[in-house]
Amino acid sequence: MKLEGERWRTLVSTVRLGKDEYRVVRPAQPVKHAPLYESWVGAESCVDKAAARTIAMAWAFAMRSPRTLVYLPLKRTDAEECVWSDGPFLDLVLLHHSLGFRLSKWKEVRAKLGPGRPHTVTCQGFGAEPDYERLHHKDNRDVLRGEISGDTVFMVGSAPAFHSQGQEFRRLAEDGPQFMHENPGEHCCAEITEDQRHWKWLHVIYCEEHRVHA
């Protein structure tokens, strides 16, 4: 299934804190199988087909949305048995560093989201494959910064930084189901590296037990 042109149903909220206003976009329906938790590699999630699609659509949207906080509530899950760590469950927020958003404000923003306005996002794709030579060059500064604050994983970066890692999620969502069907028992994942501190800071694994859920 190609993601470009696919529609993602979301809820949009506008939250005002003093003189500041924040736009938050989140899925209209709960993400049932994507438990996100802290592990030795940083943050890790185990997804089925539907969850992989949702996370990929959210990432593609975040790439092109520098004025928006993209929020994936992943703490509440129907798949606790698929967690491979004792780490606490976490939510995920994607945002551009140009927002200048202080992570300490997030809990207050989240508490004021309200029901949100229904909105449908059409996936515009992930663009061309990144320049991997430039991406891995020691002088490259367009890298993602990952941070766990409170009960949330924040991925923060520029548009080029989000683009450079987006193909990982595209491949997971588009090619993962066929790979899992043809290679039972094999490992299938997206590895998002933030910088030199972590090998796989955000590690999203296709669930072997529940891989085919729609």
Side-chain angles (χ1 to χ4, degrees):
M1 175 193 68
K2 298 299 181 184
L3 293 177
E4 187 167 359
E6 286 290 305
R7 292 155 66 87
W8 180 40
R9 294 181 178 177
T10 66
L11 297 173
V12 181
S13 301
T14 301
V15 175
R16 179 174 292 278
L17 296 182
K19 61 182 179 59
D20 298 319
E21 190 173 82
Y22 303 103
R23 180 175 184 257
V24 182
V25 170
R26 65 190 191 273
Q29 299 296 326
V31 186
K32 295 183 178 181
H33 193 304
L36 180 65
Y37 48 92
E38 192 170 357
S39 73
W40 68 273
V41 297
E44 191 165 73
S45 182
C46 185
V47 300
D48 66 0
K49 179 179 177 180
R53 177 185 181 276
T54 296
I55 294 175
M57 295 281 278
W59 195 277
F61 177 71
M63 283 169 46
R64 296 176 171 85
S65 306
R67 298 180 181 86
T68 301
L69 297 160
V70 181
Y71 169 41
L72 294 173
L74 303 180
K75 285 190 301 183
R76 296 181 179 85
T77 177
D78 293 340
E80 291 188 18
E81 73 277 9
C82 300
V83 174
W84 302 343
S85 169
D86 293 331
F89 289 118
L90 305 163
D91 288 335
L92 177 64
V93 173
L94 314 174
L95 69 147
H96 288 235
H97 59 58
S98 57
L99 268 177
F101 182 74
R102 290 172 54 190
L103 304 189
S104 60
K105 292 183 176 182
W106 171 243
K107 285 191 176 181
E108 191 175 356
V109 170
R110 184 175 59 190
K112 296 185 176 183
L113 289 178
R117 305 182 304 278
H119 179 66
T120 299
V121 173
T122 300
C123 183
Q124 299 180 41
F126 293 82
E129 289 278 349
D131 181 343
Y132 288 104
E133 183 175 351
R134 175 182 176 278
L135 175 63
H136 296 296
H137 193 277
K138 63 182 178 64
D139 294 328
N140 178 35
R141 294 294 180 264
D142 280 324
V143 295
L144 290 170
R145 175 171 63 89
E147 184 171 339
I148 297 176
S149 179
D151 56 1
T152 302
V153 176
F154 295 90
M155 298 301 293
V156 186
S158 63
F162 276 104
H163 171 256
S164 69
Q165 304 286 358
Q167 292 293 339
E168 287 282 315
F169 284 118
R170 180 196 63 77
R171 284 189 283 267
L172 185 71
E174 292 185 351
D175 305 332
Q178 182 174 349
F179 177 87
M180 296 294 284
H181 175 73
E182 296 176 351
N183 302 274
E186 291 291 323
H187 185 80
C188 181
C189 70
E191 299 173 356
I192 307 300
T193 304
E194 63 149 349
D195 58 26
Q196 298 304 313
R197 291 186 298 143
H198 296 286
W199 172 46
K200 298 177 297 191
W201 204 88
L202 181 58
H203 187 207
V204 182
I205 310 162
Y206 233 111
C207 181
E208 172 65 23
E209 183 68 22
H210 304 111
R211 62 190 185 278
V212 296
H213 283 191

